[in-house]
């Protein structure tokens, strides 16, 4: 016997559909806002100025659209790097290119996941202080790449 798919399309009651600019907490129409928001980076609250978002005028709930959230994360990480004196995304890329390494090759030399360098260079994630020191060593200490290659093999 051939199994048949008898599943009907799910019916969504009209009352469950709400406009996407309505506050999920109290149902008030949210308004376009721009202001300082805070985001934790490595367990530390980082303030980012002038972030676009939707705010509920009644209960002050804040909603970030996808682009707003991406921007907030990117700015918070850039600010965190500056505050802690860590290499910027561009500086990491410059070191890697100077030694003619792909993102995957550098990740392998540092025993990191394949996409880690890509996330650092695009500003989606921040390197640890220990990894920051290692990248500075690669940049400033001649022979470091050869040393790491020897130990990655
Ligand atoms: Zn609300």
């Amino acid at each position: 016997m051939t199994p048949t798919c008898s599943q009907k399309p799910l019916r969504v009651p009209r009352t469950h559909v709400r406009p996407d600019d309505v506050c999920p907490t109290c149902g008030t129409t949210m308004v376009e806002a721009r202001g300082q928001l805070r985001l934790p980076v490595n367990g530390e609250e980082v303030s980012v100025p002038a972030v676009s978002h939707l705010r509920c005028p009644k209960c002050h709930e804040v909603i970030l659209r996808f682009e707003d959230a991406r921007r907030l994360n990117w700015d918070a990480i850039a600010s965190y790097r500056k505050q802690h004196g860590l290499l910027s995304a561009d500086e990491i890329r410059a070191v890697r290119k100077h030694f003619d390494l792909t993102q995957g090759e550098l990740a392998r030399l540092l025993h990191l996941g394949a996409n880690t360098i890509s996330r650092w260079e695009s500003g989606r994630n921040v390197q640890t202080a220990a990894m920051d020191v290692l990248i500075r060593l690669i940049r400033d200490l001649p022979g470091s790449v050869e040393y790491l290659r020897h130990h990655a093999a």
Side-chain angles (χ1 to χ4, degrees), residues 31-71:
V31 294
E32 191 68 44
R34 200 172 154 82
Q36 179 171 288
L37 294 180
R38 284 179 307 167
L39 189 75
V41 177
N42 283 353
E44 192 178 305
E45 292 275 318
V46 178
S47 286
V48 178
V51 183
S52 294
H53 57 275
L54 295 173
R55 187 181 288 266
C56 175
K58 195 175 167 193
C59 76
H60 307 293
E61 177 81 84
V62 167
I63 293 283
L64 293 175
R65 284 152 300 196
F66 185 74
E67 271 310 310
D68 301 336
R70 201 154 71 163
R71 185 79 212 163

Side-chain angles (χ1 to χ4, degrees), residues 8-98:
K8 285 182 194 161
L10 197 67
R11 266 192 69 200
V12 179
R14 189 163 290 278
T15 51
H16 287 205
V17 180
R18 297 193 304 180
D20 60 5
D21 61 349
V22 157
C23 174
T25 304
C26 74
T28 305
T29 300
M30 301 190 88
V31 294
E32 191 68 44
R34 200 172 154 82
Q36 179 171 288
L37 294 180
R38 284 179 307 167
L39 189 75
V41 177
N42 283 353
E44 192 178 305
E45 292 275 318
V46 178
S47 286
V48 178
V51 183
S52 294
H53 57 275
L54 295 173
R55 187 181 288 266
C56 175
K58 195 175 167 193
C59 76
H60 307 293
E61 177 81 84
V62 167
I63 293 283
L64 293 175
R65 284 152 300 196
F66 185 74
E67 271 310 310
D68 301 336
R70 201 154 71 163
R71 185 79 212 163
L72 172 63
N73 184 55
W74 198 90
D75 284 354
I77 282 177
S79 169
Y80 180 91
R81 278 174 159 147
K82 212 170 274 179
Q83 278 170 35
H84 291 266
L86 299 174
L87 294 168
S88 70
D90 288 343
E91 285 171 322
I92 293 173
R93 187 181 298 107
V95 172
R96 179 177 62 77
K97 296 234 163 155
H98 178 78

Side-chain angles (χ1 to χ4, degrees), residues 79-142:
S79 169
Y80 180 91
R81 278 174 159 147
K82 212 170 274 179
Q83 278 170 35
H84 291 266
L86 299 174
L87 294 168
S88 70
D90 288 343
E91 285 171 322
I92 293 173
R93 187 181 298 107
V95 172
R96 179 177 62 77
K97 296 234 163 155
H98 178 78
F99 290 96
D100 210 20
L101 296 166
T102 65
Q103 293 178 337
E105 283 166 348
L106 181 56
R108 203 171 60 86
L109 292 180
L110 298 175
H111 296 263
L112 296 166
N115 298 319
T116 305
I117 306 294
S118 156
R119 286 196 285 261
W120 292 350
E121 291 185 3
S122 64
R124 274 177 292 155
N125 275 4
V126 62
Q127 71 276 20
T128 61
M131 278 299 156
D132 197 77
V133 168
L134 275 177
I135 294 166
R136 284 168 198 271
L137 276 179
I138 289 175
R139 183 188 66 188
D140 300 334
L141 198 67

